Structures are given as structure tokens and as C-alpha cells.
Amino acid sequence: MTLEEQVSLLAGVDHWCTTPVPRLNIPSLKVTDGPSGARGVGTLVGSKPTAAFPVGIALGSTWNKALLREIGVHLARETLDKGAAVLLAPTMNLFRSALNGRNFESYSEDPYLTGALGVAYVQGLQSSGVAATVKHFVGNESEFERSTISSDIPERALRELYLRPFEMAVREGGAWAVMTGYNRLNGTYCSQSPRLLGDILRDEWSFSGLVMSDWGGTHSAGASVRAGLDLEMPGPAKARATLLTEALKDEETRKAVRVAAKNVLRLIERTGMLTRPLDVSGEAERATEYPDTRSLIRRAGAEGAVLLKNNAVCGAPLLPLPAGVTVAVIGPNAAVAQVMGGGSSQLNAHRRVSPLEGLRDALGEANVSHAVGTFNNRYLPILQTPIHIEYLGQEGEVLATEIRLGSEVMWGILPAGIAADSFRARLTLTLIVPEEGTYDLSLFSAGLSRLSVQGKEVIDNWTTWQPGETYFGFGSDEIRERVSLDSGTYVVVVDFTPKVHDNGIAAFSAVRIGFQQPSPPTDFEDAVKLAGQADFAVVCVGTNSDWETEGIDRQGLTLPGDQDALVSAVLSANPRTVVLLQTGGPVLMPWLDDAPAVLQGWFPGQEAGHALADVLLGHVDPGGRLPQTFPARLSDDPTHPELPDVQYPGSAGHVEYQEGLYIGYRHIDRHALTPLFPFGHGLSYTTFSLGEVQVTTHEFRLDEALQVTVPVTNTGVRAGQTVIQLYVSSPDSRMARPWKELQAFEKVSLNPGETQDVLLELNFRSFAYFDDIQNVWVADPGEIHLLIGESSADARKLVTIRIMTQI
């Protein structure tokens, strides 16, 4: 290859594809977002339909490695249907803070659980020839100033917590690609850190795959290539626009370009694209819905649901709901299917089944009543109506037109001849007002916009535009106006033009029009009354993709709006009430003492309503166990706004990981706190007992493997699942360590009366810590406690062994 051809491979040709080299028959390699589906080239709201899988935290709740591997296989098929051979997934960052807006994408607060599930996901995906891209490497644990902030992480915490899942995905999973984080790590951008990409990833872990930047996350030409960043995305090259010139002048840069080009070619070869290149055009993307994938998503959604509480009412546990009863389904998340979070993981799901639909399908429509009671949306909902877009020239002439569905538009591929950074557009939709009354209209945009109704300007977001929290920080905040309208039809027009941002990231253009009639005061009371008239009530509360999204962090742990008041009122009206929570992380529950049953449903993918109904009605056992500690109060979280800003969310361009090793349950143990619900917690519809634990040796030498066998018996009358968790405690360690650390787990499914021996395997790394003085992994000789149970607060079995030698 010529040097020019080599350089061309090191930046994308467009938003999703690498640059082809026609002379040598080297095709474009197409990538697609991940991690909960394969979106294709479309925008976050305008892509072709595709399968929506449970989000990361819901999959983390399954604690099921075999299931994650199976999901990886199905995601590979979805990816290939979109003409892509690389999926930008899985997300391997940890839950350092409960307020991270992107926690829903990741698996867990624990590095071993995250790594083990990530390994399975990677292996399943790559078994079908689709590359996994483990991200965001490393230290992207919040969204605050994520493009520039320096995550200042102590070495032991970096090695033992934040790097470990990536290490497992690379060394055990064999990941073919890694995506660097936007952030800096201890002062240096991850995308150009020689230590991170060279010393650790390449040399220590023997990574032979491709390293790509996050979108717009490349900050230099030759320096980033020399550091070990192979591919700048998206393209065409921006940070690397001068790379060829630099390479012609500098031999070291030329050598680095050659290595990076080989890494790009190796990924094209590994995915089979040299011999069977895919059609990477958006027109060739398929939107096939597969019955076996739909079934898998339903099963996975149910297996990730966590039964937090299930007290007896009239002598029997409230759940599962009995047959032949009437159920009132109440709340803002009842008839609206919350299947995913917001941001780059968004996609156009084949289906969106709500809890109301799922329960009506299972119980019959006549047995299920419904009321909303209150709203929980952060922004006014969009209108599902056609919107006509005209692209205008300098004199107002129409250059091109298109029609899209829905009152939110994100621009990706524009009509031919329309400049992405300077176009003008006029968007027109017809608003149907069913009855005379007061309504709310809203507008926000990444770009300048203004909205008029029947020719009269209502919202000016053009002359008064200010940056806000929408659209990854490129958009304004929402502007709302209340208008009085008669019944009938109205023409709504929005004028739009891009706003170019000088921040090193490609311009982003989008606009959203919201519309809603304010809720009458009687809605709350009517919902409570309806709940009291049914045999059982299911109150569906939580958040949605407005609140849980890439680009901004959560504002607290309280449910939005007056949902807590709705839950309390429904509990007072009907003692047989189940609280169904759908959030991307923990929330406070001031009504918990009064609630007999609480089910955490997360965002479980397109079959949400069916999966949750399966659990509520006892068709399947609730298979989920918490992958994240639910703190009793925000101040019990290891990082929260009451602490110095430099620890969270950050100050003066730095966020200091002052808590070190102590996040999640490690923090709970260190400070002797009582969580709302502990890490690993989850109830079943049956009960289990653990027998006598056996180990292959009580005198362990670190060049061997240790096998731990735990007999588990289903002592109830129903089939069910549990997760056997093994934590290691090292009281004789030379350096300070958390009181216990998860080092092995297995999920087991048992019929009534059945017993199974569960095998847990440990090795040197299960007992080791990172000695940041000697820069080596160490396991000190001495006593080790193996704590075995069904949650981090349940160490019902204790086995003591002794490490005999140090290596």
C-alpha cells in the first residue's frame, strides 16, 4: 500500500464506514450502535426498525453468562442485517455513582460481574463474525463535561476496578475492537495515551485488535497514531487531516501509520469482509423481525426483573397474581412502554409492548382497567404525525423536500446538494386539537429554531438560543408555552438552521416539537379511585429516556413529579398493590414500608409488557438480582453532590476518584451502612438452601486453581432461579482492601426438591490486589475467607483457606 492509502484507512469515510481502497479491493467496514440493538445508519429517531434488547443494567441483573452469550449471537444477526460487521458494544464502565446518566447502558458496579458478562456477550457476538467494541476505555463514569474532563483515578482503583472488565473482555473474551473514552485519564486524553493504549492494552494484555475513538474524540493526528489509536471516527478526517503531511516528514509517525493500517485491515479480515463484503448503504439495510429473537428478548426481560419485596397479604405472598382477578394498572409508565434509555443506544424498535398491553393480553381486556394519574415526562411528548420538511435556498426557494414521521427530527444524511453546516429548513405539521382547552407546546433544538401556529410566532428559540442539556449538550433546553386552542386543525411551522459548534466535535442538528394537554386535577383522584375498585393494583412508575440518557447525569434519586404521592395514595386505596418500577438505576422509595410487593423492571426491551406480565402472573420466576446497590439515601452513595465538587461531578476540568476502591457494596461495608437493597439481592417465588461447601484444598498455592462446590436445593413448591455468589475476604493482606469482593458466581435453575452442585472456580487473580509501589499483582500468604450466599449481605456460608506461597 502507498503511504497515502495507509493514511486513508485511519479515519472514516463518513459517519459509519471506514475508507475503502478500490485499487486493492479493500472494502468499507461498516459499524453500528449498540449496545441494545443494531440501529444502522439512521438517526436516533429515524432508523429502520430493529430488535430492541434489554438495556445493559437489565442484562446485568440476569447474572446469566449463557444468556448474554445467546444475546450476542442474536445481535450479530441484527448487525449483519444492517450491513455492518462491527457493533459498538458492550459498555464496560462501572457504576461509580448512582447519578451517572448512562448507567443503564452498563452492567454493574462490580468489575468481576461486569467483566464476566462482557466476556460472554463478546464471545457470542464474535462467534458469528461480528466484532465487539468494548467501550468506553476508560474512566467514563459520568456525563459531566465528558469530552474534556480528566478522570483522576488512583492506580489501585484503576487496576482493580475500572480496567478489570476491559482486561477480561480482551484477554478472556478476545474482543476484536476497543473504543476509547472521550475523557482524559489522569490528565491525558484516553485517545492519545501511550500508557493506556500501548503499555497496558497492547503490551500487558497482548491486544491485537483495533482501537477506535469515540465519535469526535480524536484530538491529534500523528500523536494519536503514535500513542496507539488506529481509527478516527467519524469521517472524513478532522483531527487527522494533517496526518499524511506529518507522516511524510517523520519516520516514527510513518511506522505508527503502518501498524495502525495493519490493525484496520486485520479487523476487516477477521470479520470476513475481504472475501464477503457487505452492502454498507442504508438502502440495503434489512428490517426483518425474527420470532426467535422476539422470544429471547421476552425471556431476557423477565430474567432481569428483580423482585425486591414480596410480603404476605392475607396469609400469602402478594405475588404472583392469581388467575381470574381484576387488576387496575395505574401510572405514567402503564400504557407507555419504556423499553430503552436515551442517547446513542436509541433505536427504532420493531415493537413497544407496555405493561398495560402485556397484562391485558394475559388476563383479558375486561379484567384490566387503566388510569394515568400523573405524568413523569421531562419533556412534552412528541406527536406521531407526518412532518413535511422543505430545504430552502438563499432566496427562500425550495431545493428539496422530504416527509418523516414524528415531531422530532434528527438530521443525518441530507438530500444531495444540501450543506450539513448551513442548510435552512422549514418543517410543517398539522396539529389536531380534539376539544377546546388549554394546551402546552414546546420546542428545543440543536441549532436555531422558531415555532409558529397558524402564522403567529409562539416560541422564539432563534434569537434567544442558549446551550442546554439536550442532544448531548449540543441542544438548547426546552422552551414551553401554554396556548388556548379551539377544537380543530392547526398548521404548525418550525424554521431551523444549524448552529456550528467550535469544540472539535461534528455539528449535530436536531429539533423536537412537544404537545400535551395539562392533566386535569381530577386525574390523580380518579386513578386512585379506580385502583381501589379492583382486586389488585399495579402502579407503574419510574423514569424514561428523557431522564436516563447519554449526555447528562441524573439530578437525584427521587422519582420525577408526584409519582411518590401517587404510589402512596394507591397503596392506601388498595392494600393489594404491586409497585412496578422502571428506571435505569436506584431510586428512593419513601412508601416502601407500606408496599407489600415491589418489582424492579428496568428498561427490558421491546417485549417489556409481556416480560413483566410473565413475572407478575408467575408464568416465570423473577430471575433478576441487583447488579447495583440501592442506597437508602443519596448521601450513602460514595459520590454525590453533597461532597466536594471535585469528587463529583468534577471541578476545574478534573474529577477526583477520592473514594478509591470503595464504590458500591465496598463503600457500604466500609462505612457499615444499611442499604435500601444490597448488591446481589433479589427474591424468588420459591426458596433455596445451601449445603456443606467443599473445596479442593484448604492450603492453596497460587499457581493452581481452586474449585469450590456448593450443593443448592430448591426447598419450595415451584421451579425457580437463584444466583450463588462467592466473595473473597483477605484479612491478612499487607495493603488495605475492601472487606469483601465478588470473585465468582453461577446462576442455577431448579425444579421443586431438586439439588444441584454448583461449581465455582478461583485462581490467582481471585485473591490478588495491585501493588502500586512494585507495579505488580500480589496475593499475600495468609488466611482467606470465602463468603458464599445469595447477596452481598448474605454470607451464610464461610470457608477459610490459607494461601501458602506468594507469586
Side-chain angles (χ1 to χ4, degrees), residues 14 27 51 60 111 115 128 135 234 250 265 268 279 341 460 528 533 556 620 675 694 730 742:
D14 57 25
S128 298
K135 62 182 187 180
D250 179 65
L265 291 171
I268 295 173
D279 187 336
D460 176 14
V528 174
Q533 294 170 347
V620 298
Q694 300 291 329
S730 307
L742 181 73

Side-chain angles (χ1 to χ4, degrees), residues 317-369:
L318 185 64
L319 290 176
L321 299 176
V325 297
T326 60
V327 178
V329 185
I330 309 296
N333 284 0
V336 180
Q338 305 298 350
V339 305
M340 67 186 77
S344 59
S345 64
Q346 285 177 240
L347 43 80
N348 183 15
H350 286 301
R351 293 146 39 92
R352 294 171 180 252
V353 182
S354 70
L356 178 63
E357 291 176 86
L359 287 167
R360 281 181 169 168
D361 284 349
L363 296 173
E365 190 163 345
N367 294 319
V368 180
S369 55

Side-chain angles (χ1 to χ4, degrees), residues 202 208-209 259 261-271:
R202 295 288 186 190
S208 62
V259 171
K262 280 186 177 181
N263 291 334
V264 175
L265 291 171
R266 185 180 295 114
L267 186 61
I268 295 173
E269 181 184 39
R270 279 175 166 170
T271 55

Side-chain angles (χ1 to χ4, degrees), residues 369-407:
S369 55
H370 167 246
V372 176
T374 189
F375 296 130
N376 68 351
N377 46 301
R378 183 174 189 172
Y379 308 118
L380 295 184
I382 64 173
L383 294 156
Q384 293 300 327
T385 186
I387 189 165
H388 182 70
I389 305 174
E390 296 174 306
Y391 297 93
L392 308 178
Q394 293 294 325
E395 305 300 324
E397 71 276 18
V398 177
L399 303 177
T401 63
E402 62 175 319
I403 296 176
R404 300 194 188 186
L405 178 64
S407 63

Side-chain angles (χ1 to χ4, degrees), residues 766-786:
S766 307
F767 306 107
Y769 62 89
F770 192 80
D771 186 328
D772 54 353
I773 305 300
Q774 301 182 63
N775 200 42
V776 67
W777 288 96
V778 173
D780 295 322
E783 195 172 83
I784 296 289
H785 297 158
L786 308 181

